[in-house]
Amino acid sequence: MKSNFFNLLERLVRADVDFVIVGGFAGVVYGCTYVTQDIDICCDFSTDNLLLLQKALSDLHAVHRQTPKRKKLELTRANCREYKNLYLDTDIGQLDCLSFIDGVGDYRKVKEGSRIIEIEDMRMRVLNLDELIESKKAMNRPRDKEAVLQLEAIKKLKKQ
Amino acid sequence: MAATRKQQGKTMETSGQADEVRAAIDYGIDIEMLIDNIKRDPGELIRRHQTALNTAEKLREAKYK
């Protein structure tokens, strides 16, 4: 599989999915030096938004990555409410869709704590640096500890 | 070329950088690379990350052939 995160994000933007980039990939957007294997987004888990998300990925063979048989993504108006998170694999990369971010809160809080970035002709939201640091501190896995060190250094360097 | 940790420490001492930067250097983070990155726009950072990820994926595939 060849990942193409830019294309993945472009599809979400073009399909009008309501989302915020969070997690390790948000760190990359701020200048972290590590390489991440997936994109984490926090999104509105309303039925309409999840169906837009599914439409954005429609030709990418999206599957639930963490189910035993890698079940195909088949969202309907009836089953959307069953999901709190979606851990997906697609032809162009892994996409984790979360409804809640530890240390920040639900999608409304995450969106409030985000800012718009412009990439080429696209505008998308990314979690603010302070909120990203808080979310990484809340997760507190070994890789999060390194991310916090990088993000706090970036915050300080940006002020200088 | 990225500075060694010793060189980074010297840079930090001379410019009086903050504890957060010191902590990152002590952990082994390449602070010069962070300094370069914060000058780049998000689009360039994403493109550079993609290049690094593609390289890592190629290496991983080669490993299992």
Side-chain angles (χ1 to χ4, degrees), chain A residues 15-81:
Chain A
D16 281 329
V17 178
D18 198 5
F19 74 98
V20 175
I21 301 168
V22 298
F25 199 75
V28 169
V29 170
Y30 285 110
C32 286
T33 57
Y34 52 72
V35 175
T36 180
Q37 308 291 320
D38 59 17
I39 297 185
D40 296 330
I41 60 168
C42 182
C43 62
D44 172 14
F45 264 64
S46 68
T47 299
D48 285 345
N49 199 51
L50 288 185
L51 292 176
L52 287 175
L53 174 84
Q54 178 169 251
K55 192 176 174 188
L57 309 176
S58 61
D59 58 339
L60 296 178
H61 306 101
V63 295
H64 295 273
R65 196 170 75 241
Q66 295 184 345
T67 56
K69 291 184 179 175
R70 293 170 63 84
K71 198 175 126 194
K72 190 180 169 191
L73 178 67
E74 286 179 318
L75 299 174
T76 64
R77 291 209 165 268
N79 72 7
C80 276
R81 292 195 178 277

Coordinates of all heavy atoms in Angstrom, one line a residue, chain A residues 15-81:
Chain A
A15 N -15.4 16.8 0.1 CA -16.7 16.2 0.4 C -17.4 17.0 1.5 O -18.5 16.5 2.0 CB -16.5 14.7 0.8
D16 N -16.8 18.1 2.0 CA -17.4 18.9 3.1 C -17.5 18.1 4.4 O -18.5 18.4 5.1 CB -18.7 19.4 2.6 CG -18.6 20.6 1.7 OD1 -17.6 21.4 1.9 OD2 -19.4 20.8 0.9
V17 N -16.6 17.2 4.7 CA -16.7 16.5 6.0 C -16.2 17.5 7.0 O -15.3 18.3 6.8 CB -15.7 15.3 6.0 CG1 -15.7 14.6 7.3 CG2 -16.1 14.3 4.9
D18 N -17.0 17.5 8.2 CA -16.7 18.4 9.3 C -15.6 17.7 10.2 O -16.0 16.8 10.9 CB -18.0 18.7 10.0 CG -17.9 19.9 10.9 OD1 -16.8 20.6 10.9 OD2 -18.8 20.2 11.6
F19 N -14.4 18.1 10.1 CA -13.3 17.4 10.9 C -12.2 18.4 11.3 O -12.1 19.5 10.8 CB -12.8 16.3 10.0 CG -11.9 16.7 8.9 CD1 -10.5 16.7 9.1 CD2 -12.4 17.2 7.7 CE1 -9.6 17.1 8.0 CE2 -11.5 17.6 6.7 CZ -10.1 17.5 6.8
V20 N -11.4 17.9 12.3 CA -10.2 18.6 12.7 C -9.1 17.6 12.8 O -9.3 16.5 13.3 CB -10.4 19.2 14.2 CG1 -9.2 19.8 14.7 CG2 -11.6 20.2 14.2
I21 N -7.9 17.9 12.2 CA -6.8 17.1 12.3 C -6.2 17.1 13.7 O -6.0 18.2 14.3 CB -5.7 17.6 11.3 CG1 -6.2 17.6 9.9 CG2 -4.4 16.7 11.4 CD1 -5.2 18.3 8.9
V22 N -6.0 15.9 14.3 CA -5.5 15.8 15.7 C -4.4 14.8 15.7 O -3.9 14.3 14.6 CB -6.7 15.4 16.6 CG1 -7.8 16.4 16.7 CG2 -7.2 14.0 16.2
G23 N -3.9 14.5 16.9 CA -2.9 13.4 17.0 C -1.5 13.7 16.4 O -1.2 14.8 16.2
G24 N -0.9 12.6 16.1 CA 0.5 12.7 15.6 C 0.6 13.5 14.3 O 1.6 14.3 14.1
F25 N -0.4 13.4 13.4 CA -0.3 14.2 12.1 C -0.4 15.7 12.4 O 0.2 16.5 11.7 CB -1.4 13.7 11.2 CG -1.0 14.0 9.7 CD1 0.0 13.4 9.0 CD2 -1.7 15.1 9.1 CE1 0.3 13.8 7.7 CE2 -1.4 15.4 7.8 CZ -0.4 14.8 7.1
A26 N -1.2 16.1 13.4 CA -1.3 17.5 13.8 C 0.1 18.0 14.2 O 0.5 19.1 13.9 CB -2.3 17.7 14.9
G27 N 0.8 17.1 14.9 CA 2.2 17.4 15.3 C 3.1 17.7 14.1 O 3.9 18.6 14.1
V28 N 2.9 16.9 13.1 CA 3.7 17.0 11.8 C 3.4 18.4 11.2 O 4.3 19.1 10.8 CB 3.3 15.9 10.8 CG1 3.9 16.2 9.4 CG2 3.8 14.6 11.3
V29 N 2.1 18.8 11.2 CA 1.7 20.1 10.7 C 2.4 21.3 11.4 O 2.7 22.3 10.8 CB 0.2 20.3 10.7 CG1 -0.2 21.7 10.4 CG2 -0.5 19.3 9.8
Y30 N 2.7 21.0 12.7 CA 3.4 22.1 13.5 C 4.9 22.0 13.4 O 5.6 22.9 13.9 CB 3.0 22.0 15.0 CG 1.6 22.6 15.2 CD1 0.5 21.8 15.5 CD2 1.4 24.0 15.0 CE1 -0.7 22.3 15.6 CE2 0.1 24.5 15.2 CZ -0.9 23.7 15.5 OH -2.2 24.2 15.6
G31 N 5.4 20.9 12.8 CA 6.9 20.8 12.6 C 7.6 19.6 13.3 O 8.8 19.6 13.3
C32 N 6.8 18.8 14.0 CA 7.5 17.6 14.6 C 8.2 16.8 13.6 O 7.8 16.7 12.4 CB 6.4 16.7 15.3 SG 5.8 17.5 16.8
T33 N 9.3 16.1 14.0 CA 10.2 15.5 13.1 C 9.9 14.0 12.9 O 10.5 13.4 12.0 CB 11.6 15.6 13.6 OG1 11.7 15.0 14.9 CG2 12.1 17.1 13.6
Y34 N 9.0 13.4 13.6 CA 8.7 12.0 13.5 C 7.8 11.7 12.3 O 7.2 12.6 11.7 CB 8.0 11.4 14.8 CG 6.8 12.2 15.2 CD1 5.6 12.1 14.5 CD2 6.8 13.0 16.3 CE1 4.5 12.8 14.8 CE2 5.7 13.7 16.7 CZ 4.5 13.6 16.0 OH 3.4 14.4 16.4
V35 N 7.8 10.4 11.9 CA 6.9 10.0 10.8 C 5.7 9.2 11.4 O 6.0 8.3 12.2 CB 7.7 9.1 9.8 CG1 6.8 8.5 8.7 CG2 8.8 9.9 9.2
T36 N 4.5 9.5 11.0 CA 3.4 8.8 11.6 C 2.7 8.0 10.4 O 2.7 8.4 9.3 CB 2.4 9.8 12.2 OG1 1.2 9.1 12.7 CG2 1.9 10.9 11.2
Q37 N 2.2 6.8 10.9 CA 1.6 5.9 9.9 C 0.2 6.1 9.5 O -0.4 5.4 8.7 CB 1.7 4.4 10.5 CG 3.1 4.1 11.0 CD 4.1 4.0 9.8 OE1 3.8 3.4 8.8 NE2 5.3 4.5 10.1
D38 N -0.5 7.0 10.3 CA -1.9 7.2 10.0 C -2.3 8.7 10.2 O -1.5 9.5 10.7 CB -2.8 6.3 10.9 CG -2.5 6.5 12.4 OD1 -2.0 7.6 12.7 OD2 -2.9 5.7 13.2
I39 N -3.5 9.0 9.8 CA -4.0 10.4 10.1 C -5.1 10.2 11.2 O -6.0 9.3 11.0 CB -4.6 11.1 8.9 CG1 -3.6 11.3 7.8 CG2 -5.3 12.4 9.3 CD1 -4.0 12.1 6.6
D40 N -5.1 11.0 12.2 CA -6.1 11.0 13.2 C -7.0 12.2 13.0 O -6.4 13.3 12.9 CB -5.6 11.0 14.6 CG -4.8 9.8 15.0 OD1 -5.1 8.7 14.4 OD2 -3.9 9.9 15.8
I41 N -8.2 12.1 12.9 CA -9.1 13.2 12.8 C -10.2 13.1 13.9 O -10.5 12.0 14.3 CB -9.8 13.4 11.5 CG1 -10.7 12.2 11.1 CG2 -8.8 13.7 10.4 CD1 -11.6 12.5 9.9
C42 N -10.6 14.2 14.5 CA -11.8 14.2 15.3 C -12.9 14.8 14.5 O -12.7 15.8 13.8 CB -11.6 15.1 16.5 SG -13.0 15.1 17.7
C43 N -14.0 14.1 14.4 CA -15.1 14.6 13.6 C -16.4 14.6 14.2 O -16.6 13.9 15.2 CB -15.1 13.9 12.2 SG -15.4 12.2 12.3
D44 N -17.3 15.3 13.6 CA -18.7 15.3 14.0 C -19.3 13.9 13.7 O -19.2 13.5 12.5 CB -19.4 16.4 13.2 CG -20.9 16.4 13.4 OD1 -21.4 15.7 14.3 OD2 -21.6 17.1 12.6
F45 N -19.8 13.2 14.7 CA -20.3 11.8 14.5 C -21.8 11.8 14.2 O -22.4 10.8 14.4 CB -19.9 10.9 15.6 CG -18.7 10.1 15.3 CD1 -17.4 10.7 15.2 CD2 -18.7 8.7 15.2 CE1 -16.3 10.0 14.9 CE2 -17.5 8.0 14.9 CZ -16.3 8.6 14.7
S46 N -22.3 12.9 13.7 CA -23.7 13.0 13.2 C -23.8 12.0 12.0 O -22.8 11.8 11.3 CB -24.1 14.4 12.9 OG -23.4 14.8 11.7
T47 N -25.0 11.5 11.8 CA -25.2 10.6 10.7 C -24.8 11.3 9.3 O -24.2 10.7 8.5 CB -26.7 10.2 10.6 OG1 -27.0 9.5 11.9 CG2 -27.0 9.3 9.5
D48 N -25.3 12.5 9.2 CA -25.0 13.2 7.9 C -23.5 13.3 7.6 O -23.0 13.1 6.5 CB -25.6 14.6 7.9 CG -27.1 14.6 7.7 OD1 -27.6 13.5 7.3 OD2 -27.8 15.6 7.9
N49 N -22.8 13.7 8.7 CA -21.3 13.9 8.5 C -20.6 12.5 8.2 O -19.7 12.5 7.4 CB -20.7 14.6 9.7 CG -19.4 15.2 9.4 OD1 -19.2 15.9 8.4 ND2 -18.4 14.9 10.2
L50 N -21.0 11.5 8.9 CA -20.4 10.2 8.7 C -20.7 9.7 7.3 O -19.9 9.0 6.7 CB -20.9 9.2 9.7 CG -20.3 9.4 11.2 CD1 -20.8 8.2 12.1 CD2 -18.8 9.5 11.2
L51 N -21.9 10.0 6.8 CA -22.2 9.6 5.4 C -21.4 10.3 4.4 O -21.0 9.8 3.4 CB -23.7 9.7 5.1 CG -24.6 8.7 5.9 CD1 -26.1 9.0 5.7 CD2 -24.3 7.2 5.6
L52 N -21.1 11.6 4.7 CA -20.2 12.4 3.8 C -18.8 11.8 3.9 O -18.1 11.7 2.8 CB -20.1 13.9 4.3 CG -21.4 14.7 4.0 CD1 -21.2 16.1 4.7 CD2 -21.6 14.9 2.5
L53 N -18.4 11.4 5.1 CA -17.1 10.8 5.2 C -17.0 9.5 4.4 O -16.0 9.2 3.6 CB -16.8 10.4 6.7 CG -15.5 9.6 7.0 CD1 -14.4 10.6 7.2 CD2 -15.7 8.9 8.3
Q54 N -18.0 8.7 4.5 CA -18.0 7.4 3.7 C -18.0 7.7 2.2 O -17.3 7.1 1.4 CB -19.3 6.6 4.0 CG -19.4 5.4 3.2 CD -20.5 4.5 3.8 OE1 -20.2 3.4 4.3 NE2 -21.8 4.9 3.6
K55 N -18.7 8.8 1.8 CA -18.7 9.1 0.4 C -17.3 9.6 -0.1 O -16.9 9.2 -1.2 CB -19.8 10.3 0.1 CG -20.1 10.6 -1.3 CD -21.2 11.6 -1.4 CE -21.4 12.0 -2.8 NZ -22.3 13.2 -3.0
A56 N -16.7 10.3 0.8 CA -15.3 10.8 0.4 C -14.3 9.6 0.2 O -13.4 9.7 -0.6 CB -14.8 11.7 1.6
L57 N -14.6 8.5 0.9 CA -13.7 7.3 0.8 C -14.3 6.2 -0.1 O -13.7 5.1 -0.2 CB -13.5 6.7 2.2 CG -13.1 7.7 3.3 CD1 -13.0 7.0 4.6 CD2 -11.8 8.4 3.0
S58 N -15.3 6.6 -0.9 CA -16.1 5.5 -1.5 C -15.3 4.6 -2.5 O -15.6 3.4 -2.6 CB -17.3 6.1 -2.3 OG -16.8 7.0 -3.3
D59 N -14.3 5.1 -3.1 CA -13.6 4.3 -4.1 C -12.2 3.8 -3.5 O -11.4 3.4 -4.3 CB -13.4 5.0 -5.4 CG -12.6 6.3 -5.2 OD1 -12.7 6.9 -4.1 OD2 -12.0 6.8 -6.2
L60 N -12.1 3.9 -2.2 CA -10.8 3.6 -1.6 C -10.8 2.2 -0.8 O -9.9 2.0 -0.1 CB -10.3 4.7 -0.7 CG -10.1 6.0 -1.3 CD1 -9.7 7.1 -0.3 CD2 -8.9 5.9 -2.4
H61 N -11.9 1.5 -1.0 CA -12.0 0.2 -0.3 C -11.8 0.3 1.2 O -11.0 -0.5 1.8 CB -11.0 -0.9 -0.9 CG -11.2 -1.0 -2.4 ND1 -10.3 -0.4 -3.3 CD2 -12.1 -1.6 -3.1 CE1 -10.7 -0.6 -4.6 NE2 -11.8 -1.4 -4.5
A62 N -12.5 1.2 1.8 CA -12.3 1.4 3.3 C -12.8 0.3 4.1 O -13.9 -0.2 3.8 CB -13.0 2.7 3.7
V63 N -12.0 -0.2 5.0 CA -12.4 -1.3 5.9 C -12.1 -0.9 7.4 O -11.3 0.0 7.6 CB -11.6 -2.6 5.6 CG1 -12.0 -3.1 4.2 CG2 -10.1 -2.4 5.8
H64 N -12.9 -1.6 8.3 CA -12.6 -1.4 9.7 C -11.3 -2.1 10.0 O -11.3 -3.4 10.0 CB -13.8 -1.9 10.5 CG -15.0 -1.1 10.3 ND1 -15.4 0.0 11.0 CD2 -16.1 -1.4 9.5 CE1 -16.5 0.5 10.6 NE2 -17.0 -0.3 9.7
R65 N -10.3 -1.4 10.3 CA -9.0 -2.0 10.5 C -8.9 -3.0 11.7 O -8.1 -4.0 11.6 CB -8.0 -0.9 10.7 CG -6.5 -1.2 10.5 CD -5.7 0.0 10.5 NE -5.5 0.6 11.8 CZ -5.9 1.8 12.2 NH1 -6.5 2.6 11.3 NH2 -5.6 2.3 13.4
Q66 N -9.7 -2.7 12.7 CA -9.5 -3.5 13.9 C -10.6 -4.6 14.1 O -10.7 -5.2 15.2 CB -9.5 -2.6 15.1 CG -8.3 -1.7 15.1 CD -8.2 -0.8 16.3 OE1 -9.2 -0.6 17.1 NE2 -7.1 -0.2 16.5
T67 N -11.3 -4.9 13.0 CA -12.2 -6.1 13.1 C -11.5 -7.3 12.5 O -10.6 -7.2 11.7 CB -13.5 -5.8 12.3 OG1 -13.2 -5.5 10.9 CG2 -14.3 -4.6 12.9
P68 N -11.8 -8.5 13.0 CA -11.1 -9.7 12.7 C -11.0 -9.9 11.1 O -10.0 -10.3 10.6 CB -11.9 -10.8 13.3 CG -12.6 -10.2 14.5 CD -12.9 -8.8 14.0
K69 N -12.1 -9.7 10.4 CA -12.1 -9.9 9.0 C -12.0 -8.6 8.2 O -12.4 -8.6 7.0 CB -13.3 -10.7 8.6 CG -13.3 -12.2 9.1 CD -14.5 -13.0 8.6 CE -14.3 -14.4 9.1 NZ -15.5 -15.2 8.8
R70 N -11.6 -7.6 8.8 CA -11.4 -6.3 8.2 C -12.7 -6.0 7.4 O -12.8 -5.8 6.2 CB -10.2 -6.2 7.2 CG -8.9 -6.3 8.0 CD -7.7 -6.5 7.1 NE -7.5 -5.5 6.2 CZ -6.8 -4.3 6.5 NH1 -6.3 -4.2 7.7 NH2 -6.6 -3.4 5.6
K71 N -13.8 -5.8 8.2 CA -15.1 -5.6 7.7 C -15.2 -4.3 6.8 O -14.6 -3.3 7.2 CB -16.1 -5.5 8.9 CG -17.5 -5.7 8.6 CD -18.3 -5.6 9.9 CE -19.4 -4.6 9.8 NZ -19.9 -4.3 11.1
K72 N -15.8 -4.4 5.7 CA -16.0 -3.3 4.8 C -16.8 -2.1 5.5 O -17.7 -2.4 6.3 CB -16.8 -3.7 3.6 CG -16.8 -2.7 2.5 CD -17.6 -3.3 1.3 CE -17.9 -2.3 0.3 NZ -18.9 -2.7 -0.7
L73 N -16.4 -0.9 5.2 CA -17.1 0.2 5.8 C -18.4 0.4 5.1 O -18.5 0.6 3.9 CB -16.3 1.5 5.6 CG -16.9 2.8 6.1 CD1 -17.1 2.8 7.6 CD2 -16.2 4.1 5.7
E74 N -19.5 0.1 5.8 CA -20.9 0.2 5.2 C -21.8 1.0 6.2 O -22.5 0.4 7.0 CB -21.4 -1.2 5.0 CG -20.7 -1.8 3.8 CD -21.2 -3.3 3.5 OE1 -21.4 -4.0 4.4 OE2 -21.4 -3.6 2.3
L75 N -21.6 2.3 6.2 CA -22.4 3.1 7.1 C -23.8 3.3 6.4 O -23.9 3.5 5.2 CB -21.8 4.4 7.3 CG -20.4 4.4 8.0 CD1 -19.7 5.7 8.1 CD2 -20.5 3.8 9.4
T76 N -24.8 3.3 7.3 CA -26.2 3.6 6.9 C -26.8 4.5 7.9 O -26.3 4.7 9.0 CB -27.0 2.3 6.8 OG1 -27.2 1.8 8.1 CG2 -26.4 1.2 5.9
R77 N -27.9 5.1 7.5 CA -28.6 6.0 8.5 C -29.0 5.2 9.7 O -29.1 5.8 10.8 CB -29.9 6.6 7.8 CG -29.6 7.6 6.8 CD -30.6 8.7 6.6 NE -30.1 9.7 5.8 CZ -29.5 10.8 6.3 NH1 -29.4 11.0 7.6 NH2 -29.0 11.7 5.5
A78 N -29.2 3.9 9.6 CA -29.5 3.1 10.8 C -28.4 2.8 11.7 O -28.6 2.7 12.9 CB -30.2 1.8 10.3
N79 N -27.2 2.6 11.1 CA -26.1 2.1 12.0 C -25.1 3.2 12.4 O -24.2 2.9 13.2 CB -25.4 0.9 11.4 CG -24.5 1.3 10.1 OD1 -24.3 2.5 9.8 ND2 -24.0 0.3 9.5
C80 N -25.2 4.4 11.9 CA -24.2 5.4 12.2 C -24.1 5.7 13.7 O -23.0 5.9 14.2 CB -24.5 6.7 11.5 SG -23.9 6.8 9.8
R81 N -25.2 5.6 14.4 CA -25.2 5.9 15.8 C -24.5 4.9 16.7 O -24.2 5.1 17.8 CB -26.6 6.2 16.3 CG -27.2 7.4 15.7 CD -28.4 7.9 16.5 NE -29.0 9.1 15.9 CZ -28.5 10.3 16.2 NH1 -27.5 10.5 17.0 NH2 -29.1 11.4 15.6

